[in-house]
Amino acid sequence: MANIAVIGGGPAGLLAAACAAQSGHKTVLFERNEKLGKKLYLTGKGRCNVTNVAEGERFFENIARNPKFLFSALRGFSCADIMGILEEQRVPLKIERGGRVFPCSDKSSDIINALGRYLNKFGVEVRLNQKVLDLKKSSEGGFEVSTGSGARTFDAVVLATGGLSYPSTGSDGFGLKLAASLGHTIQPPRAALVPLETVEDWPKQLTGLSLKNVSLSVLRKGRAIYDELGEMLFTHFGVSGPLVLSASSMIADAPEGARLSIDMKPGLTPEQLDRRLVRDFDAEPNRHLANAMKELLPSRMIPVVLSHVRIEPNKPVNQVAREERQRLAQCLKDIPLTVKGALPIEEAIITRGGINVKEIDPSTMESKLVPGLYFAGEIIDVDALTGGFNLQIAFSTGALAGRSIP
């Protein structure tokens, strides 16, 4: 039986500690906050999108960075495994659009409490309000972990301290500094899953307006690098919402200048949409154009679109020229926006970057440079799109790290 320290009480650390203890090790979990899983309270708008039921290739398509590195972790601990643990801990789950899994109660606290019970089941020693101040190799072998309460020696350590997003929850990058002090290379952290600021200022007029069942594309040099159906939100600085957050991961390295395209009617071709406009206009030929479009668009968006295509909103539809109508249809299929930049990393849901995956054994999550040091979760240079994928990565890498300690 080895003495194990897990640093970080987020999803990765919780699973690492539980799995290490389940394997028979004496395990201590250090968490700097007053409670476990503080960042989990924020996920899914407080509902906790705990995982995603996408399997195999469909899951890996949603991993934006270093997907091959995660093959062993995800194969060894899948969405079915975390769902099984939660249901065993009396948390019923539900599957929503896009394979997203939530607790039936829509309360993230139910997930956190369940994982806390799972730790207790295997006798993990949980040390709350214990900020780790230093981590170094011990002269006697193993590692020395220093906190405000003193120093303790351990045979192995799992670093699961997160990235740089939501620093108020404890993800302030200190774990990356600890890893660097032990010789690891850090890929520069950048914002991922973050709202985007736009060059155009018209989104400000629509602040708070949410669009559903629209398609958002990201184009680089005229080529689409992201195209997905879902929901998005206009803000006082630009755009946000699930589609935008996922799109931001595809341009995290250089968001400035990327072109966004909103398709308001993804189920129709431009020709079909034009025919729809003809039918609507023929039904009430004397109606003003702005009023005739209320079945097509949210009311607040109509003047913005009409301004973009340079057609007067009070123009009777029987006076709308064919070229104008076709221009309108084309615009509804491609409302352009230009990315000015991403919001600061503190506003990101997750961060891209972290421990270089080339320095970690993907079959165990153990450092290739420092035997006995393991990594799990967002501290590793992997990230995925929205929909529960990042939490599953945290659970899977945590479980693999905890199980791999000899």
Side-chain angles (χ1 to χ4, degrees):
M1 179 175 69
N3 289 316
I4 309 301
V6 177
I7 303 175
L14 290 168
L15 263 293
C19 290
Q22 187 179 17
S23 298
H25 300 306
K26 184 177 180 181
T27 306
V28 181
L29 174 61
F30 292 98
E31 169 53 48
R32 65 187 293 176
N33 291 306
E34 74 285 357
K35 58 187 175 184
L36 296 172
K38 198 167 183 180
K39 192 173 176 182
L40 274 172
Y41 278 101
L42 305 175
T43 62
K45 298 180 181 177
R47 299 172 60 214
C48 196
N49 181 187
V50 70
T51 185
N52 194 292
V53 296
E55 295 182 356
E57 198 171 310
R58 282 203 306 125
F59 193 103
F60 280 89
E61 287 172 355
N62 287 275
I63 301 175
R65 193 168 179 87
N66 296 319
K68 292 180 180 178
F69 172 81
L70 294 167
F71 182 78
S72 293
L74 292 168
R75 183 178 61 178
F77 191 86
S78 67
C79 65
D81 293 310
I82 188 61
M83 291 172 72
I85 288 171
L86 294 170
E87 288 168 344
E88 174 193 307
Q89 295 299 321
R90 304 182 303 282
V91 179
L93 303 169
K94 59 183 177 179
I95 301 172
E96 296 188 359
R97 180 185 57 80
R100 293 167 166 82
V101 179
F102 293 88
C104 289
S105 65
D106 286 331
K107 294 180 180 177
S108 58
S109 56
D110 286 353
I111 300 296
I112 298 162
N113 292 335
L115 294 175
R117 292 193 296 271
Y118 193 61
L119 288 181
N120 292 335
K121 177 180 178 180
F122 301 111
V124 175
E125 178 188 345
V126 178
R127 303 283 292 167
L128 298 175
N129 294 305
Q130 291 289 304
K131 182 177 180 179
V132 171
L133 304 174
D134 195 16
L135 170 65
K136 59 186 178 182
K137 292 288 289 183
S138 170
S139 58
E140 303 170 1
F143 299 85
E144 185 178 282
V145 177
S146 299
T147 69
S149 301
R152 294 174 65 172
T153 302
F154 296 90
D155 299 306
V157 171
V158 181
L159 264 181
T161 53
L164 286 173
S165 58
Y166 292 110
S168 63
T169 66
S171 296
D172 62 359
F174 185 66
L176 295 172
K177 294 178 182 177
L178 293 178
S181 73
L182 291 169
H184 273 280
T185 305
I186 310 301
Q187 300 299 117
R190 293 187 175 92
L193 299 186
V194 66
L196 297 173
E197 186 178 2
T198 59
V199 172
E200 298 82 0
D201 61 4
W202 60 259
K204 295 178 184 178
Q205 304 172 41
L206 305 176
T207 296
L209 176 64
S210 178
L211 301 180
K212 297 182 178 182
N213 299 316
V214 298
S215 178
L216 180 70
S217 301
V218 179
L219 297 98
R220 285 283 197 196
K221 298 179 180 178
R223 183 177 66 89
I225 59 172
Y226 172 84
D227 186 7
E228 194 59 65
L229 179 73
E231 301 177 20
M232 62 176 291
L233 174 73
F234 292 109
T235 70
H236 65 281
F237 53 78
V239 285
S240 186
L243 284 176
V244 173
L245 297 178
S246 285
S248 72
S249 282
M250 309 307 293
I251 54 173
D253 292 332
E256 297 82 4
R259 183 182 184 276
L260 306 181
S261 172
I262 305 169
D263 184 347
M264 296 297 298
K265 298 296 172 183
L268 300 175
T269 66
E271 294 75 22
Q272 289 171 329
L273 183 53
D274 182 55
R275 289 196 291 271
R276 160 83 184 268
L277 290 173
V278 169
R279 288 196 304 270
D280 289 352
F281 292 178
D282 287 347
E284 297 185 75
N286 295 316
R287 200 176 189 190
H288 287 170
L289 180 57
N291 293 328
M293 292 182 62
K294 288 184 178 178
E295 298 298 319
L296 276 174
L297 289 175
S299 295
R300 290 173 62 193
M301 224 179 151
I302 293 171
V304 172
V305 169
L306 292 180
S307 173
H308 190 77
V309 294
R310 304 182 306 280
I311 307 176
E312 286 296 322
N314 292 328
K315 193 171 190 176
V317 293
N318 61 4
Q319 295 180 22
V320 175
R322 178 185 177 187
E323 183 273 332
E324 290 177 317
R325 191 189 67 239
Q326 291 177 337
R327 196 166 72 236
L328 175 59
Q330 186 59 49
C331 177
L332 294 176
K333 295 291 293 178
D334 178 17
I335 299 176
L337 283 168
T338 309
V339 177
K340 184 177 182 180
L343 261 59
I345 198 166
E346 294 81 9
E347 302 291 330
I349 294 176
I350 62 163
T351 44
R352 166 175 288 193
I355 311 296
N356 189 327
V357 296
K358 293 179 180 178
E359 299 173 354
I360 305 171
D361 184 340
S363 64
T364 62
M365 295 295 128
E366 185 177 18
S367 166
K368 292 179 180 179
L369 309 181
V370 186
L373 177 63
Y374 296 77
F375 300 106
E378 195 181 342
I379 195 171
I380 303 170
D381 184 20
V382 291
D383 62 275
L385 308 186
T386 56
F389 301 101
N390 287 290
L391 271 184
Q392 183 60 53
I393 290 170
F395 292 134
S396 296
T397 54
L400 180 56
R403 290 171 175 174
S404 297
I405 300 171

